[in-house]
Amino acid sequence: MLKQLSRLERSRKLVIVGFAFLMALSLIVFFAPRPGASSVEPTKSEEVLAKVNGDEVTVGQFALQRESIQQRFSQYGSQISLAQMGFSDQRILDGLVQQRIVAQEAARLGLSASDAEVAEDIRHQFADPAGNVDIARYKEVVNSRYGGVERFEAAERDRISGEKLRALVTAGVRVSEDEVREQFKRKETFFDVTYVTVSADKLAAKIDVPDADLRSYYDQHREQYKIQVPQKKIRYLFIDLAKVGEKLQISDKDLRAEYDKLAPSNKMAGVKVQQIVLKVARKDLEAPVEQKTKDLIAKLRGTTGQATEQAFAELARGNSEDPATAKTGGFLPRPVKKNPNKIDALYERAVDMQPGDVTDVPIKYGSAYYILRRGEEVQKTFEEAKPELLASLRNRRAYAAAAKLAERAQARFKETKDAQKVAQELAAEANMSPAEMIKETPYIKPGDDVPNIGNSQQFEDGIAPLDNINDIGERTSIKGGFAIPMLVDKKEPRIPDFEEVKDKVAKVVRDERAHAQLEQKAKELIASVKGPGDLKAAAEQMGFDVATEVDYKLNAPLGKAGTSPELDEAIYALKVGEVTKTPAKVGDNWVIAGLTKTVPADLTKFASQRSELMKSALAEQQGLVFEGYIGAVRDKFQREGRIKVYQDVLARLQEAEPAALPRGMPNFPIPPSQ
């Protein structure tokens, strides 16, 4: 392939763009299997994870893809797992399987990329301005990025084959201007909506069930309440990390040493950001405001795409409609730094720009247009960093101190079997009273939500070996500190008495009755109102929540009610002053909506964006057609047993994946293994 690449003359070709499926495929790098591979690190493993019509998907391919996705999101912090970002292991594997299906279907139809096509594509990517490819440099790049020339070229061959297959499958797809205009109207129409969520929990709270009915239900469903495993009552000594930390003395000298050890990136307070804000007072004024924003951007960016602080400040003072920042030359009051929980926030997009850069297009955010300029980085001074350093150092030292104290408590507890005595001995060091240190659970079993602890696998593992009364376990990390557990009582598997599960039975019965009445209650509510203005009083009388949503757009969640195609259709069909004639099912709830205002889509924008909108709609429709085509092929493969996933291998990989810390948990360091 490299020899052929060297001989080919440089030429141009039209690049197929605009469809999401192939963008996804371009992220995946496939590696040819190497027979006889030994046990190696996951990214180099040739162990078979799945087979697609004979083609193998290896552990190495899977691990590299998972690693690649993780690296793309590493800027948002290590506490976010792939699953939290929507990339489950099954989804990653599905993508790899899908790629093999596409490649095989392309081959079946004679659409596999030729050596010449692969070479031309590579030349397009790696040629210098003169049209030449430095083969040595090419090898160096693909070896470092993709693990080898053959692997990279195999991936390119699959990608080109997929493009050809997609072009064939979607060649006959068309969209009409009327369809696109209607789609634009639906997307760009704004609605002010008053809505009621008719939910089972609200209705259930108002349902009274006689004890006789509860007992009758229990008698008919006794087996459902059978406790299959032993229940344990646990008394435990609790060492509170926060209390231990309060006693620790941390000097400025200690904090200064921590500050000096920080990497420069960790000392960054953020970047300076300047803004110009142009507000949209009414929907009919949006077009001129947007145009003014574009004119200001063109003036600021000039030919370089950048502007000085002074030039931006002058325009901000004369044009920005945010009084607080306009008088300071557009500068925000504090530096901007990325927040992993707000990855789409307005100002954070400036962090990825270069110093001096000005946003190239108007940014619509809420009811205003924004122009942003990225300034220089701002470093935290020691005094600014001090509160964070103090919290971090106190946490680390508190963890270490509490862990040592918990070890001593564990040893004394095992010697004395007396929680009260140990608590009295160690209370002063723990900065707690003996009563605060001694905790007791109700009878619990695996999976239960334990008071003050929650659903904790670590606590369950800690009490699992305790089988005999007065058995004492090892120190266990729990929410907020450490626990040293002792078994004080135990109940064997059994069917509990009615009184033990009365609350659970009552909840089930109320929920069942509420769900049975829910749709009828929603219809009764609709029948009792004449317009949106009546919804609030009627809903509150029946015990349901009512809310309003301003500038609602279809396909977005309607506040806390959620979204569904049925609900969107109902709202789109409403006239101002009307209420939906029937309730719409959204999840487990029913939603009633009343329309108080409509702002129609600006069709002049459709005229100016017609070409782009037609292309986008066509690409979207092509994507749906191609997705359906490949889905049908995959279903056929599944029915015929041509897709085989080795679940034991996948389970092993999932066990090996590092888990992210739960959000909101203290960031205490995990001590090294002893």
Side-chain angles (χ1 to χ4, degrees), residues 53 55 98-112 161-162 165 168-169 626 629-630 632-634 636-637 642:
N53 207 23
D55 281 0
Q98 191 98 326
Q99 174 65 7
R100 302 318 312 143
I101 293 172
V102 170
Q104 290 178 14
E105 185 66 3
R108 185 183 72 83
L109 297 173
L111 299 173
S112 294
S161 301
L165 176 62
L168 175 68
V169 170
F626 189 61
Y629 179 89
I630 295 302
V633 176
R634 180 171 186 147
K636 181 173 183 290
F637 279 18
R642 290 197 264 173

Side-chain angles (χ1 to χ4, degrees), residues 292-328:
K292 181 179 178 181
T293 311
K294 290 178 179 178
D295 294 342
L296 290 173
I297 288 174
K299 185 173 182 180
L300 285 164
R301 287 173 59 85
T303 59
T304 65
Q306 295 194 328
T308 64
E309 284 187 5
Q310 295 78 8
F312 196 98
E314 286 181 18
L315 283 186
R317 290 189 184 99
N319 294 276
S320 183
E321 297 174 1
D322 177 54
T325 57
K327 62 185 180 182
T328 66

Side-chain angles (χ1 to χ4, degrees), residues 1 5 8 13 113-125 138 152-154 156-158 160:
M1 176 63 72
L5 178 63
L8 284 176
K13 72 172 183 176
S114 66
D115 288 351
E117 288 171 321
V118 175
E120 175 60 20
D121 182 81
I122 292 171
R123 178 178 291 280
H124 181 85
Q125 296 183 54
Y138 165 70
F152 172 70
E153 291 183 357
E156 289 300 285
R157 188 182 304 278
D158 285 346
I160 296 168

Side-chain angles (χ1 to χ4, degrees), residues 382-418:
F382 170 67
E383 290 301 324
E384 289 171 333
K386 190 174 176 179
E388 293 178 20
L389 294 171
L390 179 61
S392 175
L393 188 55
R394 189 181 298 281
N395 281 350
R396 298 203 307 272
R397 291 187 176 179
Y399 189 98
K404 288 182 179 179
L405 187 58
E407 273 191 22
R408 290 172 52 205
Q410 173 186 304
R412 287 292 292 144
F413 202 8
K414 288 186 175 182
E415 288 174 12
T416 65
K417 306 288 187 182
D418 188 335

Side-chain angles (χ1 to χ4, degrees), residues 539-553:
E540 289 177 348
Q541 185 177 0
M542 297 179 70
F544 299 119
D545 292 334
V546 61
T548 59
E549 187 81 3
V550 177
D551 287 345
Y552 172 70
K553 295 178 76 171

Side-chain angles (χ1 to χ4, degrees), residues 503-529:
D503 289 345
K504 291 182 179 180
V505 174
K507 184 179 185 310
V508 170
V509 174
R510 284 197 298 266
D511 285 348
E512 285 187 3
R513 294 187 179 184
H515 278 98
Q517 301 174 23
L518 208 56
E519 183 178 5
Q520 182 57 38
K521 289 291 183 182
K523 290 179 178 178
E524 290 174 9
L525 179 56
I526 290 175
S528 69
V529 301

